[in-house]
Amino acid sequence: MKITNNWFPFARNRDIKKTNRVFCFHYAGGSSSIFKHWAVSRLPVEFIPVELPGRGARISESCLENFDCLIEQMISSLITVIDNRPFYFFGHSMGAMIAFEAAYQLQGKYGVQPEKLIVAGRHAPHRPDLSLFKSHMSDETLIWELKRLNGTPREILENREIIQFLLPMIRSDYKLHESYNYQGQKLSIPIIAHAGKHDHEANAAVMQHWQQVTDGAFAIKEFDGNHFFVQNLGEEYLSELIRAVSQADYNVREA
């Protein structure tokens, strides 16, 4: 089966033989390409990276800076590719917030929901945002923030032409993030929280609060690394994510 929807650029040819599908939502300043190497046939799980407007394959489109508008457009596309197979949501950083709200809206509007929500590197939606950078701050401050988070290659940060091209998109993502308005939304599905030990704004103590936004089961696990442990751990993290999806009784030690 082919997907022609531009929200899912790496899922043109879907493998309907795979039981489980995971929709993946990226961090601020990223794109679906960070999950491209997960969308391969050798894996037992079908990973479907989600592309937001204004980046990657949709670079010619305008970025969306209103969270409600983004969710409304996105779930109308998601519902067209959800069939009777189980599906899961995975979100990293900003993507965790998007995945949470998409799960909530799908249940409310269409009566469908993911089997599990797996979140990494972001505080729970009802907790205060500890991020140091705000979208009204200068480009120099934003570059300093990118250096602090240590997830952007040095050659990009030191290339003035490239970084000036990327800054507006990254700033738009911060505006999108800041536009989110939590109003007591709560899920009924299991939530699994993954935290980097050295991610001071989203460590295990911070991410423990995700337990409060679901009536379902909750599990949490720490990983070595900073805010970008998902990318930096490579196959090690991917294997853990596949276990979290595939095992109904997925258990991890309490952080």
Side-chain angles (χ1 to χ4, degrees), residues 228-247:
F228 290 97
F229 70 93
V230 171
Q231 285 72 42
N232 295 338
L233 292 179
E235 291 293 321
E236 177 186 347
Y237 182 76
L238 179 57
S239 296
E240 186 66 31
L241 183 56
I242 291 172
R243 280 194 293 272
V245 168
S246 304
Q247 296 178 5

Side-chain angles (χ1 to χ4, degrees), residues 97-207:
M97 173 186 69
I98 295 173
F100 170 80
E101 188 64 25
Y104 179 79
Q105 294 293 337
L106 280 174
Q107 171 60 31
K109 293 184 177 181
Y110 298 100
V112 298
Q113 59 187 350
E115 300 293 314
K116 297 175 184 176
L117 170 63
I118 304 166
V119 294
R122 189 195 187 273
H123 59 282
H126 64 300
R127 300 292 296 177
D129 184 1
L130 301 177
S131 302
L132 299 179
F133 178 79
K134 305 301 178 186
S135 63
H136 62 81
M137 295 179 178
S138 67
D139 283 354
E140 290 73 18
T141 306
L142 178 52
I143 293 172
W144 175 86
E145 174 73 354
L146 296 176
K147 291 178 179 178
R148 185 183 71 84
L149 291 174
N150 197 29
T152 305
R154 179 180 296 178
E155 56 268 27
I156 290 180
L157 289 171
E158 294 179 352
N159 186 311
R160 185 169 183 81
E161 183 176 346
I162 293 177
I163 197 65
Q164 290 300 319
F165 173 77
L166 293 175
L167 286 179
M169 180 191 71
I170 299 172
R171 187 181 297 278
S172 287
D173 278 351
Y174 275 92
K175 290 179 180 179
L176 175 68
H177 190 271
E178 292 166 4
S179 73
Y180 179 60
N181 182 23
Y182 179 73
Q183 296 179 314
Q185 298 92 316
K186 197 168 189 180
L187 303 180
S188 58
I189 59 174
I191 292 181
I192 298 169
H194 288 166
K197 290 181 180 178
H198 307 295
D199 185 357
H200 302 299
E201 293 161 16
N203 57 28
V206 172
M207 294 198 67

Side-chain angles (χ1 to χ4, degrees), residues 71-72 75-80 82 102 104-113:
I71 294 295
E72 181 179 358
I75 65 169
S76 65
S77 292
L78 274 169
I79 199 64
T80 66
I82 292 173
Y104 179 79
Q105 294 293 337
L106 280 174
Q107 171 60 31
K109 293 184 177 181
Y110 298 100
V112 298
Q113 59 187 350

